[in-house]
Amino acid sequence: MEDTWSGDGSVCRTPPGGTEEQRTQHELMPYIDDSPSSSPLLSAKSHSSRDTLSSASLDSSKSNELDLEKGLEMRKWVLSAILGSEETYLSHLEALLLPMKPLKAAATTSQPVLTIQQIETIFFKVPELYEIHKEFYDALFPRVQKWSHQQRVGDLFQKLASQLGVYRAFVDNYEVAMETAEKCCQANAQFAEISENLRARSTRESKEQPAKTSLEALLYKPVDRVTRSTLVLHDLIKHTPIGHPDYPLLQDALRISQNFLSSINEEITPRRQSMTVRKGEHRQLLKDSFMVELVEGTRKLRHVFLFTDLLLCAKLKKQIGGKSQQYDCKWYIPLADLSFQPLDESEAAVNIPLIQDDELEAMKVKISQLKSDIQRERKSNKGGKGLDRLRKKLSEQESMLLLLSPSMAFRVHNRNGKGHTFLTWSDYERAEWGENIREQQKKCVKSFSLTSLEIQMLTNSCVKLQTVHRIPLTIGKEDDESSGLYGFLNVIVHSATGFQQSSNLFCTLEVDSFGYFVNKAKTRVYRNTTEPSWNEEFEIELEGSQTLRILCYEKFYNKNRPVREDGGESSERIVAKGQVQLEAQLVMGKDWQRSVVAMNGIEVKLSMKFTSREFSLKRLPSRKQTGVFGVKIGLVTKRERSKVPYIVRQCVEEIERRGMEEVGIYRVSGVATDIQALKNAFDSNNKDVAIMMSDMDVNAIAGTLKLYFRELPAPLFTDELYPNFAEGIALSDPVAKESCMLNLLLSLPEPNLLTFLFLLDHLKRYIFLL
């Protein structure tokens, strides 16, 4: 038996032999769980089995009915929100119609502001749009007011969708309307004053006085409205049961809207990305992103917009009381006046405050802990203020991490003013911004300045033009690790082809983590070649990563050095860059997956293999009696008659000898073949291991030390005490935390404790020198 919708809003049953369409509809019902365990009515095979339902089954049936009731109640809230949106939209159309009548009246006098033709062009189809939506609102309002679950509204949405042809006429005329309005503003000061001081009436919900808005912003409202028409219908259909009489009508309205939208989308997209400026030209948005600006030594989060003729730096204002998103212009530079300024040649040379790696890592640990707390809170179904408080803390930590993590300077200068310093997260972003600006500068020859009104119009346009709508935080993704990979990615950088002349070439690898990109590996320099063949393997830790970036550099060993993006001289320059999406099916196979990354005529050959976090953290029991890797730490120290394993002492000594000034010594991956060679040397007790280490990159030595601890058959803090350490570090009271951690440390076996203290002293020295 199957549940369907009856006219009185109750649930009735259809025999299993019903139509396929009825069966399909039931399978899609969003408020009924059709699994046999939770909905026994659907799995019952006879009247006798239904008569003998347990009390648990009856409770489950009631739960389904409650879910259906909740879904239908959501339908009312969706419709109420649509009514509020319609009221706001009508107020915008009214604000357009308000000056239209007096302008038409003045057009027949001896002193017209605009001609009849200009008025009809600028306000084309606005009266018709107003009438359509006024009729829709007036019909929908009483139905929502007299709400019941049987209430039907699908006919209204179907009729509204059938009138989208008026929007087609409006969109086709939009370009001409904007150009006409701009020309009229330049020719007539009175109309310019009118067009900048329009006011939309307050809605029922709003207690605030109507704010001033421009003709340009209001004329864009219908364009924006029609592009979002399908979203409203999707929301309403989502909360309308399939058996409800409205369902087919809403589906039909959605079909009409989607067909209409697909026919005009290609025309609307470029209009959304541009705004009209003087002489009918168009200022088009080329690129935008969130960046960190250094202002008098303080880091500030900015939204930077690159237009066809200028670079704009804006601050996103805090949204108060439900107000729409707004930007505050901090500064702008016409591209004709922009240059890249070297930091070391500036009189106001900026000392970039570098943040130590351990501080950033501590923030990441806090973020991971908060995500775990949020997951735990959600699973316990507590919700409420506790969950909101955790999310607020997570947002604060992530915002702080984004502010403090970038360290690569990118400085622009206005020849008519001062310079500005941005900090980027990676060379990739810095190069991309520099390339885009330089390419556009070839087309910009004239300098200009903007009035305060024009600056306001420009920042207002950023709200609708922006392509990056959210600060790159992971808030909202705390329970969705499917959006990225967690574990270890082994990458072999084989070779590259396509270089036109012999050069000294090397590659770096970057992956995204915690909302920004981090440099993770670097190949050796392959000298004087057009076809470098590195064949170097790296092991890269992934933390929710989705993209692998590859950058090819040319290295210079003489005085003929290129100009960096910040204007100074450099010993290296980027010659190509590209990226690979880290999809699970691409890298989760047991075998190596080969890939060719094409970038501006250059091809880099890679192989990749991924190991999930669950598998990589799995420790294998110790079966070895010789060597040091994979052998219990107590057994190694007993055999060596030492307090700390020789491998730990030797690696730390070499790192402190020549790697203490390296940034990211434990973050950047060493070459896997070097790490493997050192592992074999330590395992075989090779007496020449110290000589081998002196010839190797210091990142390989750090990688060997990390690998040793990762391959221990038991963690340094032991399997038995590890949960206690995790609980102790989470204590809020600092005194209790200190006492707990000290007691736990003293409970460790002596080799484990002494090795930990030895590492702690090393890390303290490393941090102090940084």
Side-chain angles (χ1 to χ4, degrees):
M1 303 287 283
E2 297 188 349
D3 296 345
T4 56
W5 182 268
S6 66
D8 61 359
S10 61
V11 176
C12 62
R13 295 186 178 85
T14 303
T19 66
E20 184 179 347
E21 181 182 0
Q22 287 173 319
R23 289 195 299 274
T24 303
Q25 286 179 348
H26 172 72
E27 288 168 6
L28 296 173
M29 281 284 277
Y31 304 113
I32 296 179
D33 183 350
D34 53 6
S35 61
S37 61
S38 61
S39 185
L41 289 177
L42 301 179
S43 61
K45 297 181 179 178
S46 66
H47 285 284
S48 60
S49 62
R50 287 200 300 274
D51 293 339
T52 57
L53 288 172
S54 65
S55 60
S57 300
L58 290 173
D59 289 343
S60 179
S61 178
K62 289 178 183 178
S63 174
N64 289 335
E65 291 176 11
L66 286 173
D67 287 344
L68 179 62
E69 190 80 13
K70 184 179 177 182
L72 290 166
E73 190 64 26
M74 276 298 299
R75 191 165 178 264
K76 177 187 177 183
W77 291 116
V78 170
L79 286 166
S80 298
I82 291 171
L83 271 177
S85 175
E86 281 293 313
E87 188 177 357
T88 302
Y89 183 49
L90 283 171
S91 73
H92 292 146
L93 294 176
E94 285 173 2
L96 281 172
L97 292 173
L98 200 61
M100 185 179 170
K101 293 177 182 178
L103 285 171
K104 276 191 171 182
T108 59
T109 67
S110 58
Q111 292 183 321
V113 180
L114 301 179
T115 66
I116 291 292
Q117 180 63 42
Q118 288 170 332
I119 295 168
E120 289 179 348
T121 301
I122 294 171
F123 299 96
F124 184 67
K125 293 298 179 183
V126 173
E128 289 86 342
L129 290 175
Y130 177 80
E131 289 303 322
I132 289 169
H133 284 271
K134 184 71 165 65
E135 181 185 354
F136 173 74
Y137 178 86
D138 289 343
L140 182 62
F141 185 80
R143 297 193 194 187
V144 177
Q145 289 294 101
K146 298 175 183 178
W147 184 253
S148 70
H149 293 333
Q150 299 96 311
Q151 186 66 271
R152 302 184 185 190
V153 296
D155 58 309
L156 301 181
F157 285 91
Q158 191 181 40
K159 182 179 180 181
L160 185 65
S162 69
Q163 297 171 310
L164 284 172
V166 179
Y167 275 97
R168 158 63 74 183
F170 181 89
V171 170
D172 287 344
N173 181 72
Y174 177 76
E175 196 95 6
V176 179
M178 293 300 297
E179 290 179 3
T180 304
E182 182 65 26
K183 289 176 182 177
C184 292
C185 283
Q186 293 175 8
N188 190 300
Q190 187 178 353
F191 180 67
E193 179 70 20
I194 292 170
S195 67
E196 290 300 322
N197 292 281
L198 299 175
R199 292 179 184 269
R201 65 173 171 80
S202 300
T203 60
R204 299 168 191 264
E205 302 296 326
S206 176
K207 297 179 181 179
E208 299 178 3
Q209 291 296 317
K212 287 193 297 185
T213 188
S214 67
L215 178 67
E216 180 194 20
L218 289 173
L219 282 175
Y220 183 73
K221 296 295 181 183
V223 178
D224 188 55
R225 187 78 175 181
V226 75
T227 59
R228 302 176 192 275
S229 59
T230 57
L231 300 179
V232 172
L233 287 166
H234 276 298
D235 287 342
L236 190 53
I237 289 171
K238 179 181 177 183
H239 298 291
T240 301
I242 293 177
H244 195 288
D246 270 351
Y247 194 85
L249 299 179
L250 293 172
Q251 286 281 26
D252 189 49
L254 179 61
R255 178 187 58 79
I256 295 170
S257 299
Q258 286 175 331
N259 289 341
F260 172 77
L261 207 54
S262 64
S263 70
I264 66 166
N265 244 353
E266 291 183 2
E267 302 170 26
I268 288 179
T269 301
R271 289 169 191 165
R272 289 178 69 120
Q273 294 176 342
S274 63
M275 60 177 293
T276 304
V277 292
R278 290 190 183 94
K279 299 179 182 178
E281 297 171 356
H282 286 281
R283 173 176 291 134
Q284 191 156 346
L285 179 66
L286 301 176
K287 179 181 176 65
D288 69 299
S289 72
F290 286 95
M291 295 177 73
V292 173
E293 184 185 11
L294 202 58
V295 183
E296 296 178 354
T298 304
R299 294 167 181 251
K300 304 284 186 181
L301 191 63
R302 305 292 195 219
H303 200 154
V304 184
F305 297 84
L306 175 61
F307 288 93
T308 43
D309 60 343
L310 62 84
L311 184 71
L312 171 73
C313 179
K315 174 188 175 183
L316 185 63
K317 292 183 179 178
K318 288 185 178 179
Q319 291 177 256
I320 302 173
K323 287 185 178 180
S324 60
Q325 192 181 54
Q326 289 182 312
Y327 283 101
D328 179 27
C329 174
K330 304 308 293 183
W331 51 264
Y332 74 92
I333 304 177
L335 295 187
D337 297 334
L338 187 148
S339 63
F340 298 98
Q341 185 181 25
L343 295 178
D344 50 353
E345 291 180 11
S346 170
E347 291 181 6
V350 183
N351 292 319
I352 300 171
L354 292 177
I355 309 301
Q356 295 172 359
D357 274 2
D358 68 309
E359 288 186 48
L360 299 179
E361 290 304 317
M363 288 181 198
K364 291 178 182 179
V365 170
K366 285 183 182 178
I367 288 170
S368 298
Q369 184 61 52
L370 285 167
K371 286 184 180 180
S372 298
D373 293 344
I374 288 171
Q375 285 184 352
R376 192 161 48 248
E377 196 84 3
R378 287 169 66 89
K379 287 176 182 176
S380 66
N381 293 318
K382 291 181 181 179
K385 292 182 179 179
L387 190 58
D388 290 340
R389 190 161 50 248
L390 287 171
R391 282 178 171 154
K392 184 180 179 182
K393 285 183 179 178
L394 176 60
S395 179
E396 289 170 354
Q397 283 294 321
E398 290 190 318
S399 297
M400 186 63 68
L401 181 62
L402 281 174
L403 268 179
L404 298 181
S405 52
S407 59
M408 294 188 175
F410 176 73
R411 188 169 173 80
V412 295
H413 185 259
N414 186 344
R415 70 180 182 187
N416 300 319
K418 66 175 186 176
H420 305 275
T421 302
F422 291 114
L423 300 178
T424 64
W425 286 275
S426 75
D427 245 357
Y428 194 103
E429 290 154 330
R430 182 165 64 176
E432 200 166 53
W433 274 98
E435 289 167 8
N436 290 337
I437 290 173
R438 284 196 173 95
E439 184 62 31
Q440 192 58 29
Q441 280 182 317
K442 297 174 184 176
K443 308 169 189 177
C444 299
V445 293
K446 292 184 180 178
S447 180
F448 59 86
S449 60
L450 300 178
T451 65
S452 57
L453 181 60
E454 287 172 325
I455 292 173
Q456 185 61 48
M457 289 175 64
L458 180 62
T459 51
N460 288 344
S461 75
C462 290
V463 176
K464 68 182 182 186
L465 300 178
Q466 61 182 326
T467 61
V468 180
H469 296 271
R470 294 179 59 187
I471 297 171
L473 305 180
T474 58
I475 184 77
K477 301 178 187 176
E478 65 270 3
D479 56 350
D480 182 20
E481 290 195 354
S482 62
S483 60
L485 297 178
Y486 292 79
F488 287 90
L489 181 71
N490 284 74
V491 181
I492 300 176
V493 184
H494 293 292
S495 59
T497 57
F499 296 99
Q500 298 302 310
Q501 57 185 25
S502 292
S503 307
N504 306 312
L505 301 166
F506 69 93
C507 283
T508 64
L509 304 177
E510 298 177 353
V511 294
D512 54 320
S513 173
F514 290 85
Y516 62 95
F517 278 83
V518 180
N519 180 30
K520 285 287 189 177
K522 177 182 176 181
T523 69
R524 291 189 178 92
V525 178
Y526 211 97
R527 302 189 69 160
N528 300 319
T529 183
T530 57
E531 295 186 359
S533 182
W534 296 287
N535 290 315
E536 294 183 52
E537 181 185 344
F538 302 93
E539 185 180 70
I540 298 172
E541 186 175 2
L542 304 182
E543 298 172 285
S545 307
Q546 295 175 301
T547 307
L548 171 70
R549 285 176 172 175
I550 303 98
L551 296 94
C552 285
Y553 291 82
E554 180 180 3
K555 180 83 173 178
F556 296 89
Y557 294 100
N558 52 41
K559 296 181 179 179
N560 298 321
R561 295 180 173 184
V563 176
R564 287 196 310 258
E565 295 302 337
D566 65 13
E569 288 186 349
S570 175
S571 62
E572 57 200 39
R573 72 178 179 94
I574 297 176
V575 291
K577 62 186 190 305
Q579 56 188 30
V580 178
Q581 294 305 309
L582 297 176
E583 299 171 355
Q585 59 269 30
L586 175 69
V587 292
M588 288 193 73
K590 293 181 180 179
D591 298 326
W592 288 90
Q593 303 292 315
R594 295 185 72 89
S595 179
V596 178
V597 185
M599 35 195 182
N600 300 327
I602 293 170
E603 290 187 345
V604 176
K605 295 180 176 64
L606 304 173
S607 290
M608 293 182 289
K609 186 169 66 173
F610 175 68
T611 306
S612 68
R613 181 166 62 183
E614 292 75 15
F615 186 80
S616 66
L617 292 177
K618 187 177 180 181
R619 294 182 183 271
L620 300 175
S622 178
R623 294 189 178 94
K624 293 174 61 179
Q625 295 301 315
T626 60
V628 292
F629 281 82
V631 180
K632 291 180 180 178
I633 196 168
L635 187 59
V636 171
T637 53
K638 184 178 180 181
R639 187 199 310 142
E640 294 176 351
R641 298 180 182 179
S642 63
K643 294 181 178 180
V644 175
Y646 173 72
I647 181 175
V648 177
R649 290 181 281 120
Q650 194 69 26
C651 286
V652 166
E653 182 182 323
E654 188 65 22
I655 289 169
E656 292 191 354
R657 186 175 70 83
R658 58 189 177 94
M660 295 296 274
E661 294 183 2
E662 291 280 339
V663 177
I665 183 70
Y666 289 106
R667 169 174 50 81
V668 178
S669 173
V671 178
T673 48
D674 288 350
I675 295 172
Q676 189 62 41
L678 284 175
K679 176 184 175 181
N680 293 337
F682 278 112
D683 264 344
S684 61
N685 197 22
N686 191 323
K687 296 179 181 179
D688 296 327
V689 69
I691 298 172
M692 288 176 62
M693 291 173 72
S694 64
D695 292 333
M696 287 186 177
D697 185 83
V698 72
N699 293 108
I701 297 163
T704 304
L705 183 60
K706 289 191 294 181
L707 182 65
Y708 169 73
F709 285 108
R710 195 160 69 241
E711 291 195 0
L712 282 174
L716 193 61
F717 292 145
T718 74
D719 288 319
E720 182 186 0
L721 294 176
Y722 191 86
N724 298 336
F725 275 104
E727 290 177 8
I729 201 71
L731 292 174
S732 302
D733 182 8
V735 176
K737 182 189 291 187
E738 182 181 347
S739 174
C740 176
M741 297 302 286
L742 186 59
N743 285 325
L744 286 170
L745 285 172
L746 293 174
S747 303
L748 287 172
E750 185 179 15
N752 298 57
L753 175 60
L754 294 176
T755 301
F756 168 71
L757 294 175
F758 181 81
L759 276 177
L760 193 62
D761 281 339
H762 160 63
L763 293 173
K764 282 165 62 179
R765 286 192 294 274
Y766 175 64
I767 292 166
F768 177 76
L769 285 175
L770 285 180

